[in-house]
Amino acid sequence: MKPLPVIALTGSDGSGKSTLATSLVARLRTVAPVEQLYLGQSSGKIGDWIGTLPVIGPRFKAYLVRKSDKVHDQPGKPPGNVTALAIYLLSRWRAFKFRRLLAMARRGTLVVTDRFPQAEKPGFSIDGPQLAKTEGGNWWVRMLRQREHRLYEWMATHVPLLVIRLNVDVETAHARKPDHKIASLREKIAAIPHLHFNGAAILDLDGRDAADHVLESSMRAVTAALQVAGA
């Protein structure tokens, strides 16, 4: 399959993805139609929105956070029916945004994404299927797990033109994102370098370098990738 006109930025929280995405889009808009798209599952933003609902909002948000943390901290234990459904719907939301990405690509738009779904390793924290981190469960949970995995397998068949992977150590990541759990950051930092994104071209950069240096290195790689794609 021909690579999508997509520049996918990956890396741990605190690696500089958002800063680089904004800068890349600003530079690329001078030479081509380009859009920026966030491809995370957006559970934090959805949780914040739920928290604003009157009366039940704060309690329901706290409930979802506890359930999400339980799945992350106890992956060997199958989730309950409601938790499994909530996780599956978050994956469906990610797939909805991915279809928006495909529509942009069909229009000839170059898309810069913050994160990109993969089916190699489970876990929302590294953009994989979350229910695949768990085992067992009743027929409902098993069905949702299978459907979620097929969803990620479908998304992963689409290869981005270039993956820019920002590598960073856990101390730097936590200094930039002090509200994140160190254990979670450490898990992401250990797993992300081993993702291959279905054979996509990958540029590894040091997220601790100056933002200008990271941007210039990225622009050179993007320019080269676009030239090869247009050849």
Side-chain angles (χ1 to χ4, degrees):
M1 181 178 291
K2 184 179 179 180
L4 294 173
V6 171
I7 309 302
L9 309 185
T10 68
S12 168
D13 302 289
S15 62
K17 296 190 305 298
S18 298
T19 299
L20 178 58
T22 301
S23 299
L24 273 178
V25 169
R27 289 280 292 271
L28 290 168
R29 274 185 177 152
T30 64
V31 296
V34 60
E35 295 291 341
Q36 182 175 343
L37 184 63
Y38 177 71
L39 283 182
Q41 89 282 357
S42 303
S43 59
K45 294 180 180 179
I46 294 172
D48 290 342
W49 174 79
I50 290 172
T52 65
L53 297 177
V55 184
I56 66 168
R59 291 184 178 180
F60 191 43
K61 176 186 176 182
Y63 171 80
L64 288 179
V65 170
R66 287 197 304 271
K67 292 296 185 181
S68 177
D69 287 345
K70 187 175 182 180
V71 170
H72 179 78
D73 297 335
Q74 302 177 24
K77 186 175 181 180
N81 290 349
V82 175
T83 302
L85 178 60
I87 291 171
Y88 177 71
L89 291 177
L90 286 172
S91 290
R92 294 293 305 187
W93 171 245
R94 177 177 267 164
F96 171 79
K97 291 189 291 184
F98 196 83
R99 288 187 175 91
R100 284 183 56 204
L101 167 69
L102 296 179
M104 292 177 184
R106 284 193 293 269
R107 293 196 299 267
T109 300
L110 178 65
V111 186
V112 176
T113 69
D114 183 338
R115 309 176 69 156
F116 198 85
Q118 53 83 26
E120 301 167 57
K121 292 181 179 293
F124 275 167
S125 63
I126 53 173
D127 302 314
Q130 179 74 353
L131 289 174
K133 293 190 73 170
T134 65
E135 300 175 357
N138 58 28
W139 69 270
W140 169 258
V141 173
R142 294 195 303 271
M143 178 193 69
L144 292 179
R145 184 184 293 119
Q146 292 172 354
R147 290 192 175 189
E148 184 195 44
H149 201 271
R150 286 198 297 268
L151 202 60
Y152 278 82
E153 288 180 328
W154 165 70
M155 290 187 283
T157 61
H158 297 85
V159 180
L161 183 64
L162 177 67
V163 174
I164 299 177
R165 185 161 51 200
L166 297 175
N167 301 299
V168 70
D169 59 89
V170 68
E171 291 79 16
T172 300
H174 192 249
R176 293 175 177 176
K177 298 287 185 179
D179 58 324
H180 287 52
K181 296 179 180 179
I182 291 182
S184 178
L185 292 172
R186 186 175 289 112
E187 179 184 8
K188 297 177 190 180
I189 290 169
I192 288 172
H194 300 287
L195 301 177
H196 300 98
F197 297 97
N198 204 16
I202 299 177
L203 171 67
D204 279 294
L205 295 175
D206 192 333
R208 299 169 298 181
D209 287 343
D212 288 346
H213 175 74
V214 172
L215 175 59
E216 293 305 324
S217 298
S218 299
M219 279 299 302
R220 287 194 294 270
V222 171
T223 301
L226 289 173
Q227 288 174 346
V228 170

